Each structure stands twice: as C-alpha cells, then as structure tokens.
Amino acid sequence: MSGFFVDWDGNLRSVEDPGGGYVCDVDTAARYVGVMKGSMLAHEATLYKTVADVEKAGIKARLVPGSHPWGSPGDGY
C-alpha cells in the first residue's frame, strides 16, 4: 500500500516508511491511517494517495523521509 499522511508536526510522511519504529495500518476505503507502535495507536491521520492529492486539499506540508525524527526530546519522543 502506498500513500501519504500528515504527522503531528505537520510533516508529510509515506505510509510505507513512517520512521520512528512506527508501522501504518491503512484502510483505503475509509482513507484512514493508524500509526502504530506495537499494539499502541500513536497517531491517526487521513490517507492521501499522492502528493498532488495533499496539495489539492490545500495542505502545505514538507515530505520527510522515515529517518526524520518524530517530535522532539522536549515532547517526550
């Protein structure tokens, strides 16, 4: 499954490589992304099939690689 979602810092991430030890549970019909760490749901987001779909929705987010950190140490991450 491919696609993109916006993380809690406003970055755009790939569902295939969310980084941070997270795994995405994707429901394409509902356009839902559940970002999981083990059995814990860490984040919920809308699924966008392409970067163009994100832009079409009026969202301005920078696409980051999976190696980009989630949050900051000050946030407890």
Side-chain angles (χ1 to χ4, degrees):
M1 167 82 246
S2 63
F4 301 90
F5 68 96
V6 179
D7 71 13
W8 56 64
D9 290 323
N11 297 308
L12 189 62
R13 293 184 180 266
S14 167
V15 297
E16 295 171 331
D17 183 21
Y22 296 101
V23 176
C24 291
D25 179 21
V26 177
D27 181 334
T28 54
R31 294 185 52 217
Y32 172 83
V33 178
V35 183
M36 308 293 294
K37 190 155 226 177
S39 61
M40 181 188 81
L41 177 63
H43 181 66
E44 295 178 292
T46 300
L47 174 67
Y48 297 94
K49 289 183 181 181
T50 67
V51 173
D53 290 339
V54 174
E55 294 168 354
K56 186 176 175 182
I59 298 169
K60 296 184 185 326
R62 179 174 62 116
L63 179 60
V64 296
S67 61
H68 184 84
W70 279 75
S72 67
D75 296 331
Y77 300 101

